[in-house]
Amino acid sequence: MPGAGYTHQWEQLSGPALAVFADSSALQTTITFPVAGSYRIRLVAHDGQYGASDWRQIDVADGSGNTAPIASSADRTVMVGHPLKLKASVVDDGRPSGTTSVSWGSFYGVAPNFSATNIPEPTVTYNSVGTSVLWVSASDGALDSTTALFTINVVASGTNEAPQVSTGGPLNLNSGDTVTLPGTVSDDGLPEFSTTQQWTQVSGPTAAAIAKPTSVNSAATFPNSGTYVLRLTATDGEKNTSADLTVNVAAGTTVAAPTFNPAAGTYTAAQSISISSTTSGATIRYTTNGSAPTTTSGTVYSGAAISISNTTTLKAIAYKSGLTTSGVSTALYTINLPDTTAPTVPTSLAGTATSSSEINLTWAASTDAVGVTGYRVYRNNTLAGTNLTTSYQDTGLTSATTYSYAVNAYDAAGNTSAKTTALNVATKSSSSSSSSSSSSSSSSSSSSSSSSSSSSSSSSSSSSSSSSSSSSSSSSSGASSAPSAPTGLTATAGNASVSLSWTASTGATSYKVYRGTTAGGEATTPITSNITTTTYSDTGLTNNTTYYYKVAAVNSVGTSALSAETSATPKSPSSSSSSSSSSSSSSSSSSSSSSSSSSSSSSSSSSSSSSSSSSSSSSSGSTSGGGAGAPGVLYLYGLASLAALRLRRRTAKTKGRST
C-alpha cells in the first residue's frame, strides 16, 4: 500500500567495471561481470510511497584462484582524550601480489579522530563518552574484503595506576628441562583497559628458549647449567612495571627434546621445517610417516630444512653419548593448498528438439580433483544458463532455426574447463506441428464415423503398442545417454482425478510425474516414479482446483529434462451431469435433423442399428481401457445414432399407416 503493487530495481553501487543485468527490473535476474574484482549490487523496492533497499558484495575471481582477504579488529575500551592504537587482523592467500592494504572508517556513534585511515595501526582519540562503531576492510589489489564492524566503548577519565607484576621465587632445574614460567599480571584497567607483557633474558650462561615471550605463563627451556635471570615487564600504555625471576640450572642427564620451526599448525602453502635441540652436540633423527624414530631408525637430521607440501606428521628424538635420549617430539602440519585444477571437459553432448521453441540438452558428467560445482550452457557462444545436473532445457526459441551449443564445467574454486565441441540442433517448424495437429483431428473424426472399425483397429493398435513398448524397453536397457524429454503430454479432468498421457521418449525405461498447483510450480520430488507405461491416473484430488503436471523420462544413464507443462481442473459429478444433459439435448437435435434429411430402408435401419450397437460397444471398451476424454465423446455419439435410428423407425411406421 498504496497502490496494488510495487516496483523493484537492481543497481550497481561500485566495482571495477560496469556489470550487465539481463533485466534490472525483474526480481530474479542474471548479472554478467566483465572483469574480476569486488562488486556491490543493490536491490531497491518501492510501493509508490515508501521504499527499501539492501545490498550485497560479490567477489568475482580472475581464474587464478585468488580469494578476497578477511579483515577484523577487536572491540576495545578507552578513556576520553586518551589515544588508542587500533590493530587490524588481515588473513589473505597471498594472491595476486602478496601485499594487502587496510582502510578504516566510522560507522555510527561517537565521532573518532583518526591519525590516518589507510594504515594497519592508526591511532584514534575521542572527545566525549559513549559508544563508537568503527569499520575496517582490506584489499589485495584485485578483491576487497567484506567490511568488519567493531565497537569502541569510550569512558570518563580516571587516575591510572601502574600494572602489578609478580614472578614468584627462584626455580631449581636440571639442564635441558622445560618449565612453565610462573608470572602474574594485574591492572586497574586504565587507561585503555588492556595490558601487554614481555619476558626477556637479563643474564645466563646461554640463551634460554622462551616459547611465547608475550605470554605470562610461557614455556621455557634451559639448555645448560648455570644461573639465569628472566624479567617480566607489563605496560598499560602509560605506565610500566617489571619483576625478575631467578632460575638455577644444574647439570642434567637427559638430552633436551627436539623442537620444530615453524611450529605445528595449518598452512595454505608448502613449509620448510627445521629441527633443533638445546643440548649441544646432540644428534637428531626424524620420521615423516608417523612412526616413532629411535637412535638407530629414522633419518638423521643434517641441518637442512625439511620441505613439506602435504599434510604430514613429523616425529623426532635427540640423543648424545653419556646422556639419556630425549622423548619423542611430534608435530602435525596440515597443508591446505588452493585448488588450481580445472574440471575435465564434459563429453557426449546431445540435443533433441522437442517443439518449435524448445531444445533439450544432455551430456556426460565431468570429473574434478575436489568436485564439480555446476555447468554453463552456451547458445551461439553466449551464456544461456547454468545447471547443477547434466541436462538443460532451452526454451523460448525460434521455430525452424539452428542453434549452436557448447557446455563447460566449473568448480567451487572458480576453475573452469574448456568448452565441449559445438553441437548444432534445429528447432521444429511451426508448420509441421500444425500439420500434425490437423492430421490428428481428421483421424479422430474418421474414428467417430466408423466405431466398429475403430474398435477393431484400436484392439490391433493396442496389441501393436504393447509389442512396441516391449521392444522399446528392451532396446533402452543398453542406453548410452539419458532419454529425450517426453512430448505430447495431455491431461483430462475427472471427478477428483486427472488422467495423463504422453508420447514415449526414445531410450526410456520408466517415467516420473511431477505435480503442482501453480503454473511452473511443480515440486522437485515426483508424486510417482517407475511408471513403465505412457499413462497415469492421479486420484484423490480436490475438485475445482487446477493442477499442473510435467513428466520426465528415465533410463540407466540418467533422467531427461522435464516435458512441457499441461494442466486440468477436476470437477464434481454434478458438474459432469449438467454437461452430459446438455450434450444429450444436442444429440437429439442432431438426430431429428438426420431423420428429416434422409430416407432409410429396413436393411439400412438394420445396418444403422448394428453400427450404433457397435459404436456403443466400442465406447464401453474404451472407457474400461482408461481413456478419460475420447470414450465420453464416442458414448454420446452412440446415443445420438441410436436416437436418430428410433426417430427414422417412427417416421417409417407413420408413412406406412398413411399409405
Side-chain angles (χ1 to χ4, degrees):
M1 302 297 288
Y6 62 91
T7 61
H8 31 71
Q9 185 75 26
W10 288 98
E11 302 173 344
Q12 179 178 343
L13 297 179
S14 63
L18 188 63
V20 179
F21 296 87
D23 184 353
S24 61
S25 63
L27 187 58
Q28 295 182 343
T29 187
T30 58
I31 314 174
T32 302
F33 301 94
V35 298
S38 297
Y39 296 78
R40 291 188 178 181
I41 306 300
R42 178 171 66 182
L43 176 62
V44 180
H46 206 282
D47 66 2
Q49 182 175 5
Y50 297 106
S53 65
D54 193 15
W55 65 272
R56 290 291 183 272
Q57 178 170 306
I58 301 174
D59 295 323
V60 179
D62 58 4
S64 66
N66 180 35
T67 57
I70 300 173
S72 62
S73 188
D75 295 343
R76 304 281 292 278
T77 300
V78 66
M79 290 192 306
V80 169
H82 185 81
L84 174 66
K85 179 177 285 188
L86 302 177
K87 295 182 180 180
S89 173
V90 178
V91 178
D92 188 43
D93 59 8
R95 293 184 175 87
S97 62
T99 60
T100 57
S101 60
V102 177
S103 298
W104 303 85
S106 175
F107 190 64
Y108 68 85
V110 179
N113 298 310
F114 285 99
S115 62
T117 58
N118 57 355
I119 60 175
E121 297 184 359
T123 298
V124 63
T125 57
Y126 292 90
N127 298 325
S128 59
V129 299
T131 300
S132 174
V133 178
L134 306 182
W135 61 261
V136 62
S137 66
S139 174
D140 62 11
L143 298 176
D144 298 332
S145 73
T146 54
T147 300
L149 301 179
F150 61 99
T151 301
I152 305 296
N153 292 315
V154 186
V155 299
S157 60
T159 302
N160 179 34
E161 299 292 339
Q164 297 181 9
V165 179
S166 173
T167 57
L171 299 179
N172 298 307
L173 309 172
N174 292 321
S175 62
D177 284 353
T178 298
V179 67
T180 299
L181 300 178
T184 61
V185 174
S186 61
D187 189 47
D188 59 6
L190 300 176
E192 293 185 12
F193 292 85
S194 66
T195 58
T196 59
Q197 51 277 326
Q198 180 82 29
W199 284 100
T200 57
Q201 183 172 340
V202 178
S203 62
T206 188
I210 304 174
K212 295 181 179 180
T214 58
S215 172
V216 173
N217 301 118
S218 173
T221 303
F222 302 88
N224 297 324
S225 60
T227 299
Y228 297 77
V229 176
L230 304 183
R231 177 169 295 160
L232 177 61
T233 302
T235 179
D236 62 8
E238 280 187 347
K239 298 182 178 182
N240 305 325
T241 305
S242 298
D244 291 346
L245 170 66
T246 299
V247 182
N248 300 311
V249 180
T253 59
T254 301
V255 178
T259 58
F260 304 94
N261 185 40
T266 300
Y267 298 89
T268 58
Q271 297 296 304
S272 295
I273 312 300
S274 61
I275 311 176
S276 61
S277 170
T278 57
T279 300
S280 178
T283 299
I284 297 173
R285 284 182 180 265
Y286 70 93
T287 62
T288 58
N289 61 4
S291 63
T294 67
T295 57
T296 58
S297 67
T299 302
V300 175
Y301 180 63
S302 65
I306 303 167
S307 180
I308 295 179
S309 59
N310 50 37
T311 298
T312 303
T313 298
L314 276 178
K315 293 189 175 184
I317 62 165
Y319 58 95
K320 183 178 180 180
S321 178
L323 299 178
T324 302
T325 300
S326 74
V328 177
S329 298
T330 301
L332 171 61
Y333 294 88
T334 302
I335 309 298
N336 295 327
L337 298 177
D339 178 17
T340 58
T341 303
T344 60
V345 179
T347 58
S348 304
L349 177 61
T352 302
T354 59
S355 70
S356 60
S357 61
E358 180 179 308
I359 290 175
N360 291 335
L361 301 174
T362 61
W363 56 89
S366 299
T367 59
D368 185 64
V370 177
V372 176
T373 300
Y375 299 89
R376 297 186 180 96
V377 178
Y378 296 85
R379 181 198 322 114
N380 296 339
N381 291 322
T382 300
L383 182 66
T386 60
N387 205 3
L388 302 181
T389 63
T390 56
S391 63
Y392 183 76
Q393 191 175 23
D394 196 15
T395 59
L397 305 178
T398 303
S399 170
T401 301
T402 299
Y403 294 90
S404 176
Y405 291 96
V407 178
N408 65 11
Y410 61 92
D411 61 21
N415 302 307
T416 303
S417 76
K419 293 180 183 178
T420 61
T421 301
L423 172 72
N424 293 329
V425 185
T427 54
K428 294 182 179 181
S429 65
S430 299
S431 58
S432 66
S433 299
S434 175
S435 173
S436 173
S437 175
S438 174
S439 173
S440 173
S441 175
S442 174
S443 174
S444 174
S445 175
S446 176
S447 173
S448 297
S449 301
S450 308
S451 293
S452 178
S453 173
S454 174
S455 176
S456 172
S457 173
S458 175
S459 175
S460 172
S461 173
S462 176
S463 174
S464 173
S465 175
S466 174
S467 172
S468 173
S469 176
S470 173
S471 172
S472 174
S473 176
S474 173
S475 66
S476 65
S477 62
S480 60
S481 62
S484 59
T487 58
L489 177 63
T490 61
T492 304
N495 179 22
S497 65
V498 171
S499 296
L500 303 174
S501 66
W502 58 88
T503 302
S505 297
T506 303
T509 56
S510 64
Y511 299 89
K512 297 178 180 179
V513 177
Y514 299 80
R515 181 185 69 203
T517 54
T518 58
E522 288 79 7
T524 56
T525 302
I527 59 173
T528 185
S529 302
N530 300 320
I531 300 175
T532 56
T533 63
T534 57
T535 60
Y536 176 71
S537 181
D538 190 14
T539 59
L541 305 178
T542 302
N543 286 327
N544 300 316
T545 296
T546 300
Y547 293 88
Y548 298 83
Y549 296 89
K550 290 183 181 180
V551 178
V554 181
N555 65 12
S556 59
V557 176
T559 302
S560 74
L562 294 174
S563 68
E565 185 178 68
T566 190
S567 64
T569 305
K571 300 292 183 181
S572 62
S574 60
S575 299
S576 300
S577 175
S578 173
S579 174
S580 176
S581 174
S582 174
S583 296
S584 177
S585 174
S586 175
S587 294
S588 294
S589 247
S590 175
S591 297
S592 292
S593 175
S594 175
S595 171
S596 58
S597 64
S598 73
S599 109
S600 303
S601 66
S602 294
S603 64
S604 171
S605 299
S606 178
S607 172
S608 187
S609 174
S610 173
S611 173
S612 183
S613 173
S614 172
S615 174
S616 177
S617 173
S618 173
S619 298
S620 176
S622 296
T623 301
S624 65
V633 175
L634 292 176
Y635 178 68
L636 292 175
Y637 179 81
L639 290 176
S641 299
L642 184 59
L645 175 61
R646 288 172 176 169
L647 184 59
R648 283 196 294 271
R649 286 179 175 173
R650 292 193 192 101
T651 303
K653 289 179 180 180
T654 302
K655 288 182 178 179
R657 292 192 188 101
S658 299
T659 303

